[in-house]
Amino acid sequence: MQDRAEASSTDASADAPLGSEAHLELATRVAQLGIWDWNLRDNSFFYSPRAREICGLPQGDEPLRMEQLQARTHPEDLPRTHAMLLRALDPAIRERLPYEYRVVHEDGQVRWVVAHGEAMFATVDGAERAVRYIGTLQDVTERRRLGEALEASRTRLQLAIDAGRMAVWEADLRNDTLVGSPELNRLLGFPADAQPTREQIRAGNPPGERERVEACARAALARGERFIETEYRYIRPDGEPCWLLLRAELQLEDGEPVRAVGVLMDVTGCRRAEEALRSSEARLKLAQRIGNIGVWEWELPSGDASWSREMYELFGLDPEAGITPEQAWLAQVYPEDRVAVDEAVLRSTQSGQPVDIEFRIRVDGQTRWIRSRGTPATDPDGTRRMIGVNQDVTSTHHQRATLEARNRDLQEAAVRIGRERERVFELSRDLFAVAGFDGYLKTINPAWTCILGYDEANWLTRPLLEFVHPEDRAGARAVLDCLERGDAAPPFECRLRCDHGGWRWIAWTAVAEGESIYVVGRDVTHEKIAAQELEAANRQLRNQIEGRERVEATLRQMQRLEAVGQLTSGVAHDFNNLLTIVLGNLDLIEMAVDDPQVRRRLDLMRKAALRGATLTSQLLAFSRRQRLETKVVDLNGTVQGMSELLKSTMGGSIDVTTRLQPDLWSALVDPTQIELVILNLAINARDAMPVGGGLTIETSNAALADEPRQPGEPVPGDYVAITVIDTGSGMTEEVRAHAFEPFFTTKAVGKGSGLGLAQVLGFAQQSGGGVGIESRSGEGTTIRVYLPRAYSVAVGGISAPETREHVEPLPQRRYALLVDDDNAVRDVTAARLRQLGFEVLEAGSGGAALDLLERTAQVDLLVADFAMPGMNGVEVAQQARTRRPGLPVLFVTGYADQTALAGIGDERVVQKPFRDDELERKVRAVIGR
């Protein structure tokens, strides 16, 4: 102390004596404090006897060294204490905070001390610095141990609360507020971060429950108790009902409850167990007390255990009987189960994982099952322990045993069903298989081999798509991709190849699960064939319906044409009669006149009459009442013979091209009429190309197999076709639909009669063929005329036109009976016959002709008009031949009914008007026979 008094005079207060040593010693002894003084000038340390005792330093007055003090400081605390020392000695900081640290005595004992210190500063060498550091030491080891014990107790309590899933709460009854642990929100059904109000909580109380709990509290207070315990029903916000166990302690002021603290547990499961086992009074009582839950704690490795009261009751023991947990454990638990529980707890403490195990106990001669759940924990001093809860699960165990028995029964049934399914798998006619996403089959049933023929090795070693029909592989691949994506695959069908080379239709259903695809296929080949046959029948029916519609359309067209034909036939007949008169008289006048001017005018009149005859020929062709002289014709020769005529007719602006098939069949057709048809079509094409273009005439063989789709087209058969193609303006759909109608034309007035295509159609159909047309507006027109094929070699084309020669009379005088209802026609015909040398007997009707035949001895020729009122020419001829067999007959007609003249040869029919010397030639031919 004297050394301290003699310190430098630079700071008198720093060197002042500490006071009376007796007084100081008394103070330190009372406060259990040790005093230390560190002189920083000479780096000497003074520690009072109590301070030396606290730090485990030797007693005495000798100064201490820094190394001694550091050696006594716990190594883990040394960096922290050194840092705090520096802060206390820093003039800028001058920290005076107390700090705790550990000291280690020489015998290894560890003590906790708390140090309070303050530095004294002085100016040394012009700078302020710490010159002394004085303070006290206090041993707080016992206080630390008490705190740690309290914390461990709190930890154990929390573990027990967590293991029992209990919520801790505190209610201020005066202010009507409630606070609780996080478990409270879970029990009440609120979100973890919610702060429900008392009104929200009360809303979950069913009617009468809150009043019953309050009555329970008032009854406890009336008995002088502050602890209440009851169970009540509660409805969570999501509507789920539950049972809660309430334990609470009431705090009173002036006899009134002002505060309540307690725990809340969900005992719904226990309540349900109660309701299921109402017959067991013991279990009901146990369930009413915290759901048959007991709390236990087991310290390792000492083996010391502590049980709650409920644990004793759970084991059927009196908690006040003085029985230790070890005695109860050994007495009640089955020996073979104790070993399993001990091993499970040991493994849990070593691994740090919770333990959950069941064991048996014997209570009143009965075996009960206890479920024990525990959590390992380690105290701050390193002591290991296990804390947990036990619960009576006898009923649950019995239920589980019953369930296991039922599961065994179900497993046996499943095995039996599995065997039955295996039989179905083996015997089914459907294809069952398990496949992978790689397209390979993993398992198949025998139906694959039975239906498709390959052995099992073929199916399992080759991709399934290899057996799928090429046209169906894309669809099968799409189904595999759909299943691999995890989507549901629709039912699908595909064809699989059989080992004999055929194909079978299979209808599939497939689902994917995990890495496998489960497929079921059914052979629907017969159904497919039946469907195809049905489709073919439907198609045939549709074709028949379409054919019928086409026939009906054709019939309607034919009826219209027939009506027009009847009109035009009559007009043509009368017109031919008039032309016969005109041309006949022109021939007679021409023979009597030599004046060139007159003969020129007569020639003009003849040409006009012949044009009228051509028009009537067109009318007859349209009405199909003209008389056709069919022959075997080479159409290639016909087209070649007309090439010059066509080029001159088309003019220089239209390029005419022919494409003739070398091996063309012969056609059975009237040579003269086919030439007119070709010329007519060429002229129509020219009119469609006013600024020029191209005209192509083709010949081809046509073997038609399909029924006609448009009116005018031919029926199936072999035909020789002449096709006229132009690059003209073409036709619209509307125009093309009316193209073959008589008198229909798109030309200007006076530019066309509208009979051209109608004549072509009439000629083709009368010949036994038909006409097809293809045209689009702006793309030209193609007209194809189908003519019947002749099955003999063609003998030539159209014969060269005959030149009119002078008529020589017959060598001997003959008598001709002429019958015609038209006087003028009869007069012209009689004149032509007289030029041949006939004596002509004229009659205006069939009856008159037959009368003349009866009265006249010699008649060498009967010339009869076909169309007459009353009795036609054929009937007159038939009557005349009954009277005079072998009488030559020649028919003159403006049109010919094919039915009536079916048996009359062309050599005995003369068309009106008479052209060139046709009448004379056929008269000579008939007389010659």
Side-chain angles (χ1 to χ4, degrees):
M1 295 298 292
Q2 187 177 358
D3 293 338
R4 292 196 300 273
E6 294 175 354
S8 176
S9 60
T10 56
D11 191 344
S13 62
D15 293 333
L18 294 176
S20 171
E21 291 187 7
H23 184 269
L24 180 61
E25 179 65 21
L26 179 62
T28 56
R29 192 167 50 248
V30 171
Q32 292 289 312
L33 296 177
I35 300 175
W36 49 269
D37 183 3
W38 180 15
N39 190 334
L40 278 82
R41 291 179 174 178
D42 57 7
N43 199 26
S44 62
F45 293 87
F46 168 78
Y47 267 53
S48 68
R50 179 57 182 163
R52 288 175 179 263
E53 180 183 352
I54 291 173
C55 294
L57 295 171
Q59 294 293 330
D61 294 332
E62 69 277 6
L64 299 174
R65 300 186 309 275
M66 177 64 74
E67 291 79 7
Q68 290 177 292
L69 299 177
Q70 289 179 343
R72 288 290 181 262
T73 304
H74 197 284
E76 296 178 1
D77 299 340
L78 188 60
R80 177 169 56 85
T81 57
H82 182 69
M84 297 185 71
L85 176 63
L86 294 178
R87 295 176 61 84
L89 300 180
D90 188 342
I93 300 177
R94 302 189 183 193
E95 190 169 81
R96 293 181 293 180
L97 295 176
Y99 52 93
E100 293 184 7
Y101 64 96
R102 286 168 293 178
V103 295
V104 182
H105 290 195
E106 189 173 1
D107 58 1
Q109 181 184 5
V110 177
R111 308 291 292 180
W112 279 92
V113 298
V114 58
H116 292 263
E118 182 177 355
M120 304 180 68
F121 297 89
T123 302
V124 179
D125 298 331
E128 189 175 18
R129 54 181 294 184
V131 294
R132 294 179 67 179
Y133 190 33
I134 305 172
T136 62
L137 286 176
Q138 185 178 11
D139 189 339
V140 293
T141 301
E142 294 303 324
R143 188 186 69 185
R144 291 279 300 199
R145 288 179 178 173
L146 290 175
E148 289 174 358
L150 178 60
E151 182 63 27
S153 176
R154 290 176 179 174
T155 301
R156 289 194 298 272
L157 176 61
Q158 187 61 45
L159 288 174
I161 291 174
D162 292 342
R165 302 185 67 83
M166 293 183 292
V168 180
W169 56 270
E170 180 179 346
D172 187 338
L173 302 180
R174 288 178 297 186
N175 297 323
D176 198 19
T177 59
L178 176 70
V179 294
S181 64
E183 186 70 12
L184 182 63
N185 279 4
R186 186 193 67 80
L187 290 179
L188 299 178
F190 293 99
D193 56 349
Q195 295 181 352
T197 63
R198 291 296 299 274
E199 289 74 13
Q200 290 175 318
I201 295 175
R202 290 192 184 107
N205 293 322
E209 282 297 287
R210 179 185 174 192
E211 291 77 4
R212 187 178 62 80
V213 173
E214 292 177 350
C216 179
R218 288 193 296 271
L221 293 176
R223 293 191 303 268
E225 300 175 358
R226 292 189 300 167
F227 179 81
I228 64 172
E229 178 178 336
T230 185
E231 294 180 5
Y232 66 96
R233 287 181 300 138
Y234 187 78
I235 308 298
R236 295 190 174 106
D238 60 0
E240 180 187 1
C242 63
W243 278 92
L244 300 178
L245 172 64
L246 174 69
R247 277 183 164 184
E249 182 181 1
L250 301 176
Q251 296 182 4
L252 307 177
E253 286 186 6
D254 299 330
E256 293 295 327
V258 296
R259 186 167 173 267
V261 179
V263 295
L264 198 65
M265 294 180 61
D266 186 347
V267 293
T268 305
C270 298
R271 293 288 298 203
R272 290 173 180 170
E274 279 180 27
E275 294 171 1
L277 302 173
R278 292 182 182 276
S279 60
S280 176
E281 182 178 352
R283 291 185 59 201
L284 178 60
K285 181 179 179 181
L286 192 59
Q288 289 175 342
R289 293 186 58 82
I290 325 174
N292 290 334
I293 295 175
V295 180
W296 54 267
E297 182 176 339
W298 191 2
E299 183 177 328
L300 296 175
S302 65
D304 295 337
S306 60
W307 285 8
S308 65
R309 292 180 58 87
E310 293 75 20
M311 276 288 295
Y312 285 100
E313 293 174 356
L314 194 64
F315 275 63
L317 301 174
D318 183 3
E320 307 299 332
I323 303 174
T324 64
E326 182 178 4
Q327 292 172 338
W329 180 261
L330 294 175
Q332 303 295 102
V333 179
Y334 279 62
E336 56 269 29
D337 292 353
R338 287 200 302 269
V339 176
V341 173
D342 292 342
E343 292 177 352
V345 172
L346 181 60
R347 287 194 302 270
S348 175
T349 56
Q350 292 175 349
S351 63
Q353 298 298 321
V355 64
D356 190 339
I357 191 170
E358 293 183 1
F359 58 89
R360 294 167 296 171
I361 63 175
R362 188 175 302 277
V363 178
D364 298 333
Q366 296 182 352
T367 300
R368 307 198 65 80
W369 283 89
I370 303 298
R371 182 179 182 182
S372 181
R373 290 179 292 180
T375 301
T378 302
D379 293 344
D381 60 359
T383 302
R384 293 178 299 161
R385 64 183 66 248
M386 180 75 71
I387 301 174
V389 295
N390 283 3
Q391 185 178 14
D392 189 332
V393 293
T394 305
S395 61
T396 303
H397 185 81
H398 290 165
Q399 292 173 1
R400 184 165 62 245
T402 303
L403 181 60
E404 289 175 354
R406 291 187 60 188
N407 286 339
R408 285 193 298 271
D409 294 340
L410 290 175
Q411 288 175 357
E412 293 175 358
V415 171
R416 184 175 63 257
I417 295 173
R419 288 196 296 267
E420 293 174 354
R421 289 181 177 176
E422 288 178 0
R423 294 294 294 167
V424 172
F425 185 83
E426 295 293 332
L427 301 178
S428 175
R429 293 291 297 172
D430 289 339
L431 306 180
F432 293 105
V434 180
F437 292 113
D438 57 358
Y440 282 85
L441 296 174
K442 299 178 180 178
T443 305
I444 62 173
N445 68 332
W448 287 76
T449 300
C450 179
I451 295 175
L452 301 170
Y454 294 99
D455 58 18
E456 184 175 356
N458 272 284
W459 290 113
L460 299 183
T461 57
R462 297 162 64 184
L464 180 59
L465 289 178
E466 184 178 321
F467 297 91
V468 177
H469 194 284
E471 296 178 0
D472 302 337
R473 287 176 185 169
R477 182 72 261 177
V479 171
L480 285 176
D481 294 341
C482 177
L483 292 170
E484 190 169 6
R485 291 193 304 269
D487 299 333
F492 67 101
E493 296 178 354
C494 69
R495 287 162 287 181
L496 291 185
R497 185 176 65 249
C498 303
D499 63 344
H500 55 72
W503 299 91
R504 305 292 294 181
W505 277 98
I506 308 297
W508 298 101
T509 301
V511 283
E513 183 176 346
E515 298 298 323
S516 297
I517 302 173
Y518 298 88
V519 296
V520 178
R522 183 169 58 88
D523 186 354
V524 294
T525 306
H526 296 298
E527 289 88 336
K528 278 287 185 180
I529 294 174
Q532 292 171 358
E533 292 176 351
L534 179 60
E535 176 61 24
N538 290 336
R539 186 166 54 252
Q540 183 178 5
L541 180 59
R542 288 194 298 270
N543 292 338
Q544 291 175 353
I545 293 173
E546 292 175 0
R548 180 175 179 178
E549 292 175 349
R550 289 194 298 270
V551 169
E552 290 176 352
T554 303
L555 179 59
R556 289 192 296 271
Q557 179 72 2
M558 291 177 63
Q559 289 173 344
R560 290 196 298 269
L561 296 179
E562 181 65 23
V564 178
Q566 291 177 358
L567 173 63
T568 57
S569 177
V571 172
H573 175 265
D574 294 340
F575 197 53
N576 278 337
N577 283 342
L578 296 175
L579 291 175
T580 301
I581 298 170
V582 173
L583 289 173
N585 284 292
L586 286 175
D587 289 342
L588 296 175
I589 295 173
E590 188 176 8
M591 289 187 291
V593 175
D594 293 331
D595 186 352
Q597 291 292 333
V598 176
R599 294 181 67 87
R600 186 176 67 82
R601 293 186 179 276
L602 291 175
D603 186 58
L604 293 175
M605 295 171 65
R606 176 185 294 280
K607 290 180 179 178
L610 290 174
R611 284 199 295 272
T614 301
L615 179 58
T616 58
S617 176
Q618 290 178 337
L619 290 172
L620 291 173
F622 157 70
S623 62
R624 290 182 286 176
R625 284 175 167 80
Q626 64 180 345
R627 184 72 174 180
L628 299 180
E629 298 181 7
T630 57
K631 297 179 181 180
V632 179
V633 177
D634 177 13
L635 293 183
N636 281 347
T638 301
V639 174
Q640 289 174 343
M642 296 182 63
S643 59
E644 293 300 327
L645 176 61
L646 291 173
K647 291 180 181 179
S648 62
T649 304
M650 295 297 100
S653 62
I654 296 177
D655 183 23
V656 180
T657 304
T658 58
R659 291 200 290 261
L660 308 179
Q661 184 167 324
D663 54 348
L664 188 68
W665 296 332
S666 298
L668 188 63
V669 68
D670 187 319
T672 303
Q673 294 298 328
I674 189 57
E675 188 176 32
L676 291 175
V677 166
I678 296 174
L679 185 60
N680 200 341
L681 293 176
I683 292 173
N684 277 351
R686 180 196 65 188
D687 294 342
M689 299 181 289
V691 295
L695 176 69
T696 303
I697 299 178
E698 295 181 348
T699 61
S700 61
N701 299 326
L704 303 183
D706 297 332
E707 293 293 329
R709 303 187 64 83
Q710 298 293 336
E713 293 183 352
V715 298
D718 292 341
Y719 298 92
V720 185
I722 293 181
T723 306
V724 178
I725 306 170
D726 68 67
T727 59
S729 57
M731 303 180 188
T732 64
E733 289 290 335
E734 182 180 2
V735 171
R736 186 162 58 86
H738 300 283
F740 293 108
E741 293 182 3
F743 307 113
F744 177 80
T745 180
T746 59
K747 300 177 183 178
V749 177
K751 297 296 184 179
S753 63
L755 292 174
L757 291 180
Q759 177 192 6
V760 172
L761 176 61
F763 164 73
Q765 290 182 333
Q766 188 177 358
S767 300
V771 180
I773 183 170
E774 299 176 6
S775 182
R776 288 186 180 181
S777 182
E779 297 183 8
T781 302
T782 299
I783 297 179
R784 186 170 288 105
V785 181
Y786 297 93
L787 301 172
R789 175 185 180 183
Y791 291 92
S792 60
V793 180
V795 298
I798 300 174
S799 60
E802 299 180 1
T803 59
R804 181 175 177 81
E805 299 178 353
H806 180 68
V807 178
E808 294 292 337
L810 296 172
Q812 59 183 11
R813 194 168 187 78
R814 303 290 181 95
Y815 289 89
L817 176 57
L818 172 63
V819 55
D820 195 316
D821 63 317
D822 192 313
N823 296 331
V825 174
R826 191 171 64 247
D827 181 64
V828 171
T829 307
R832 299 287 290 265
L833 291 174
R834 291 187 183 100
Q835 288 179 342
L836 289 172
F838 280 96
E839 290 292 338
V840 180
L841 302 175
E842 300 182 31
S845 64
L850 293 176
D851 289 342
L852 285 174
L853 186 62
E854 290 287 344
R855 298 196 302 268
T856 305
Q858 180 181 353
V859 176
D860 302 300
L861 175 66
L862 174 61
V863 179
D865 184 19
F866 170 73
M868 294 185 297
M871 186 182 297
N872 61 33
V874 174
E875 294 172 340
V876 172
Q878 291 173 348
Q879 293 287 337
R881 284 196 170 184
T882 58
R883 293 170 172 79
R884 296 190 183 185
L887 176 65
V889 179
L890 190 66
F891 295 98
V892 179
T893 181
Y895 67 92
D897 188 337
Q898 294 181 359
T899 303
L901 298 176
I904 301 174
D906 292 337
E907 70 278 0
R908 290 194 295 157
V909 179
V910 180
Q911 291 285 346
K912 297 178 185 178
F914 308 137
R915 302 193 181 191
D916 299 328
D917 57 352
E918 181 184 11
L919 178 63
E920 288 78 1
R921 284 189 295 101
K922 292 191 175 183
V923 167
R924 291 178 186 275
V926 171
I927 292 298
R929 290 190 184 94

